[in-house]
């Protein structure tokens, strides 16, 4: 996979748009079981990412991902900033400039491990890991773009009946059951946008 | 927001609410005066409720002591952002900054009291965490 400058800019814009356009939905999910700032926080972070264009897309893929991660760490706030930011930063550290699918599988695994360490969490606790981990399994298993996007959306849905063990929602105990995890929804939106853009690149 | 007294462990207070962070710092000052380096930070980058890494890094710098810095946090994001900030410090400082698993107000007061007696960073952290023990 080789992303030229135009493709990198398209990817960044798609990622940012996916979150910014759903900011109100993310906030209302977070109002149900968190502190209600998730949509606003993620929007602020990705607006800062957009503001770093076009220079951001001049960077090669690994450097660009690291820069996105650092921007999210500094701007998002909440626990999501360090968690999502760490994912991008570690992905940037682990990926070569022109990654193969195997590179992508290996790099996302490292990035997911870093998110687990940052949040001291595992899948099953109603966090973004409940999307990242199953999506990684589909990626590693050879799933195509559609399978990856579908798994991302379904994995976010599967957080609805879960009881939160980590994050602010865990304060609610059983009352966290019945609401989708906002962080999982954000990550599923990002994955959906990434897959759609990358598939476009592969097919053209 | 701070005073410099090198030698004693510095205390950083991180709350989602700037008012809570500042109020906790006021309580610390009342207990220990200027005997410990102290700084507080709270709020997201737009001034709303939340925490931010840049603010935490600045607070660590303000409260820096060769003996180290103990960070007291309120809720999840404050802890995650503080740990992120610690990792972003220069390598020689990283091991000398610890995030305490303690209630922010009580922990800050106890930690500062322990620090004012010249205790080590480990002892300061332990005292603060006895609240949860």
């Amino acid at each position: 996979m080789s992303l030229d400058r135009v493709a990198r800019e398209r990817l960044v814009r798609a990622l940012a748009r996916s979150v910014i356009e759903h900011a109100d939905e993310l906030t209302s999910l977070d109002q149900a079981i968190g502190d209600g700032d998730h949509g606003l926080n993620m929007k602020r972070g990705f607006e800062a990412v957009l503001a770093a264009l076009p220079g951001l897309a001049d960077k090669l893929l690994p450097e660009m991902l690291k820069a996105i991660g650092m921007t999210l760490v500094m701007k998002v706030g909440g626990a999501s900033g360090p968690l999502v930011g760490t994912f991008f930063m570690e992905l940037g550290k682990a990926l070569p400039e022109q990654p193969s699918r195997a590179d992508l599988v290996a790099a996302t695994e490292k990035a997911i491990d870093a998110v687990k360490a940052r949040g001291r969490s595992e899948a099953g606790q109603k966090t973004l890991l409940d999307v990242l981990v199953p999506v990684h399994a589909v990626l590693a298993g050879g799933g195509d773009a559609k399978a990856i996007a579908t798994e991302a959306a379904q994995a976010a849905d599967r957080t609805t009946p879960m009881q939160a063990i980590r994050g602010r929602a865990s304060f609610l105990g059983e009352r966290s059951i019945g609401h989708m995890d906002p962080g999982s929804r954000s990550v599923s939106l990002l994955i959906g946008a990434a897959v759609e853009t990358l598939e476009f690149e592969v097919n053209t | 927001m701070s005073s410099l007294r090198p030698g004693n462990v510095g205390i950083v207070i991180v709350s989602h609410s700037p008012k809570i962070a500042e109020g906790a710092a006021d309580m610390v000052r009342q207990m220990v005066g200027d005997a410990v380096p102290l700084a507080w930070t709270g709020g997201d980058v737009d001034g709303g409720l939340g925490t931010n890494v840049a603010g935490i890094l600045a607070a660590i710098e303000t409260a820096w002591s060769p003996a180290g810095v103990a960070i007291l946090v309120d809720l999840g994001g404050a802890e995650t952002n503080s740990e992120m900030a610690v990792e972003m410090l220069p390598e020689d400082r990283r091991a000398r900054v610890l995030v305490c698993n303690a209630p922010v107000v009580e922990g800050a007061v106890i930690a500062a009291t322990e620090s004012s007696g010249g205790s080590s960073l480990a002892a300061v952290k332990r005292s603060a965490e006895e609240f949860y023990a």
Side-chain angles (χ1 to χ4, degrees), chain A residues 32-133:
Chain A
I33 55 171
D35 50 2
D37 61 1
H38 186 64
L40 198 62
N41 285 347
M42 292 293 281
K43 180 163 177 267
R44 183 197 305 117
F46 276 96
E47 281 174 349
V49 169
L50 283 180
L53 286 171
L56 183 59
D58 290 339
K59 298 176 191 287
L60 293 171
L61 184 65
E63 294 308 315
M64 183 183 88
L65 291 170
K66 280 189 253 180
I68 291 171
M70 184 56 76
T71 301
L72 296 176
V73 163
M74 299 309 286
K75 296 290 182 187
V76 173
S80 312
L83 293 171
V84 181
T86 292
F87 183 81
F88 277 95
M89 283 163 69
E90 296 298 320
L91 206 54
K93 280 188 210 166
L95 279 178
E97 284 172 20
Q98 299 190 1
S100 65
R101 187 183 181 103
D103 290 331
L104 198 58
V105 170
T108 46
E109 181 166 357
K110 278 189 187 168
I112 289 168
D113 285 345
V115 172
K116 287 179 180 173
R118 167 84 47 228
R120 287 192 293 278
S121 184
E122 293 288 336
Q125 300 185 327
K126 200 172 179 116
T127 72
L128 70 171
L129 287 168
D130 290 306
V131 170
L132 291 175
V133 170

Side-chain angles (χ1 to χ4, degrees), chain A residues 35 37 41 44 70 73-79 81-83 86 89 118-120 166 168 171, chain B residues 16 44-46 48-54 57 75-81 83-84 87-88:
Chain A
D35 50 2
D37 61 1
N41 285 347
R44 183 197 305 117
M70 184 56 76
V73 163
M74 299 309 286
K75 296 290 182 187
V76 173
L83 293 171
T86 292
M89 283 163 69
R118 167 84 47 228
R120 287 192 293 278
R166 286 291 287 167
R168 192 78 70 92
F171 292 9
Chain B
H16 281 60
D44 65 28
V45 291
D46 292 336
L49 294 176
T51 55
N52 75 88
V53 172
L57 284 169
L75 297 169
E79 183 182 29
T80 316
N81 276 307
E83 289 171 352
M84 191 81 224
E87 266 182 46
M88 289 165 68

Side-chain angles (χ1 to χ4, degrees), chain B residues 1-12 25 28-30 32-40 58-66 68-69 115:
Chain B
M1 239 167 70
S2 78
S3 69
L4 291 178
R5 185 69 62 94
N8 287 340
V9 171
I11 305 295
V12 165
V28 168
R29 278 274 170 262
Q30 192 182 43
V32 301
D34 291 335
V36 298
L38 172 69
W40 59 268
I60 293 171
E61 182 64 35
T62 301
W64 181 255
S65 156
V69 170
S115 167

